[in-house]
Amino acid sequence: MPCSMTDHSIRPAPAPSPPFQGIYHVSGSAPRAVDVFSQSVCATALEAGPSSFPVRDHRNRGAWPPVTSLFPRKMFLVGLTGGIASGKSSVIQVFQQLGCAVIDVDVIARHVVQPGYPAHRRIVEAFGTEVLLENGDIDRKVLGDLIFNQPDRRHLLNSITHPEICKKMMKETFKFFLRGYRYVILDIPLLFETKKLLKYMKHTVVVYCDRDTQLARLMQRNNLNRDDAEARIKAQLPLKDKARMARHVLDNSGEWSVTKRQVVLLHAELERSLEYLPLRLGVLTGLASIASLLYLLTHYLLPSP
């Protein structure tokens, strides 16, 4: 279905690195930085043990996997990640403009610790009122400093936030399931760093750009000198490493119009999947059976007033 999308300005960029030739390019805004607190609550959202996700090297195949590999037997999850100044936010915007279901795990992590939620109360009980701002919100910087390089405190925070993040993720995913979506995109900043969520992902996507482009973009965007920009990039897992682990790679070093077309094509491939239908029909049939049973109990088996 055609959709209206605003073209982004295109910055000059070096040619893509050899390992990623033939994969399409993106230029655009970069994802926001993730603070220590966000890293903690997102990194261990699911403590489910080692990932069993099958890793495939995209260099041993064409830019797109066989069509049959895109068709799961149920509604599936797509994990999308990138790096600082890689342009992940622009790619997410295109998916959203196409009507895709997107869940931002970092947003969920922030949501579940708002005042009035169970995690907020337990954090205050565990770490004291010193982690609160004047308006009652969690002071993310103070809490991040408290757990920094302190595994026991980090584990305590994770034990508080982990169940709430899981419940919220499941709730949002189930909503999209009932509304008929073929797949849901999870925007996960630390997808490959922690590996906790990988086994739940049918597909993984990395928004990549070469090192020179990433450095120049970060220096321009944040008004940083070269040393400071390089230090921030080195603090993250290299994009080349993420790209080797991902099933799909969008090379963010080139023209926006080309990558936008590739995002649309990938969305179309995933949308054409119909093998999710048996699961959804089974759920709906089960709900209909429950409703029928309740009707019978109400109208026939229970005594009339």
Side-chain angles (χ1 to χ4, degrees), residues 95-113:
F95 277 115
Q96 290 174 326
Q97 290 168 346
L98 291 168
C100 297
V102 178
I103 297 175
D104 189 327
V105 175
D106 187 37
V107 170
I108 290 179
R110 293 170 182 269
H111 177 80
V112 300
V113 296

Side-chain angles (χ1 to χ4, degrees), residues 11 84-85 214-230 232:
R11 302 188 184 95
I84 189 170
Q214 185 182 23
L215 182 62
R217 191 178 293 165
L218 181 59
M219 291 172 62
Q220 179 180 1
R221 188 194 71 181
N222 290 22
N223 194 26
L224 298 174
N225 60 46
R226 187 180 186 89
D227 291 340
D228 289 342
E230 287 184 339
R232 294 197 182 190

Side-chain angles (χ1 to χ4, degrees), residues 131-142:
V131 300
L132 293 180
L133 296 169
E134 291 184 0
N135 63 0
D137 289 341
I138 298 294
D139 189 326
R140 307 174 71 81
K141 184 179 185 306
V142 170

Side-chain angles (χ1 to χ4, degrees), residues 1 11 40 51 91 119 133 198 245 247 256 275 278 284 297:
M1 178 183 298
R11 302 188 184 95
S40 173
S51 169
V91 173
L133 296 169
L198 276 176
M245 292 185 283
R247 183 164 183 176
W256 170 252
E275 296 185 36
L284 294 178
L297 289 172

Side-chain angles (χ1 to χ4, degrees), residues 3 5 26 64 78-81 87-103 181 183-187 203-207 248 250 256 259-271:
C3 63
M5 290 181 278
V26 162
W64 296 95
V78 178
L80 189 145
T81 191
K88 174 173 66 73
S89 297
S90 295
V91 173
I92 285 289
Q93 288 173 7
V94 177
F95 277 115
Q96 290 174 326
Q97 290 168 346
L98 291 168
C100 297
V102 178
I103 297 175
Y181 284 88
Y183 67 96
V184 175
I185 297 172
L186 269 67
D187 179 2
H203 297 265
T204 53
V205 181
V206 164
V207 182
H248 308 284
L250 297 175
W256 170 252
T259 299
K260 185 168 66 175
R261 176 174 176 270
Q262 285 304 304
V263 175
V264 172
L265 288 176
L266 176 57
H267 168 63
E269 292 285 352
L270 299 174
E271 272 291 296

Side-chain angles (χ1 to χ4, degrees), residues 108-227:
I108 290 179
R110 293 170 182 269
H111 177 80
V112 300
V113 296
Q114 290 179 345
Y117 287 85
H120 180 278
R121 175 180 54 80
R122 293 186 60 197
I123 288 174
V124 175
E125 291 175 352
F127 296 94
T129 56
E130 63 186 274
V131 300
L132 293 180
L133 296 169
E134 291 184 0
N135 63 0
D137 289 341
I138 298 294
D139 189 326
R140 307 174 71 81
K141 184 179 185 306
V142 170
L143 186 56
D145 291 341
L146 286 176
I147 66 174
F148 186 70
N149 287 335
Q150 297 194 47
D152 291 342
R153 286 195 164 191
R154 183 181 293 267
H155 178 74
L156 175 59
L157 178 62
N158 293 338
S159 68
I160 294 172
T161 58
H162 159 224
E164 301 302 320
I165 294 173
C166 289
K167 286 191 291 186
K168 184 65 175 176
M169 286 176 56
M170 292 175 62
K171 181 179 178 181
E172 294 301 316
T173 301
F174 190 66
K175 285 181 181 178
F176 289 126
F177 172 84
L178 293 178
R179 291 167 60 186
Y181 284 88
R182 271 74 164 178
Y183 67 96
V184 175
I185 297 172
L186 269 67
D187 179 2
I188 308 173
L190 301 176
L191 178 63
F192 291 110
E193 286 84 343
T194 65
K195 304 185 187 305
K196 299 298 183 182
L197 294 173
L198 276 176
K199 68 179 181 179
Y200 300 98
M201 304 299 135
K202 182 70 176 180
H203 297 265
T204 53
V205 181
V206 164
V207 182
Y208 167 88
C209 68
D210 62 74
R211 178 63 178 265
D212 290 339
T213 299
Q214 185 182 23
L215 182 62
R217 191 178 293 165
L218 181 59
M219 291 172 62
Q220 179 180 1
R221 188 194 71 181
N222 290 22
N223 194 26
L224 298 174
N225 60 46
R226 187 180 186 89
D227 291 340

Side-chain angles (χ1 to χ4, degrees), residues 177 276-290:
F177 172 84
Y276 75 104
L277 285 175
L279 176 62
R280 181 167 287 110
L281 290 175
V283 171
L284 294 178
T285 300
L287 293 176
S289 300
I290 294 174

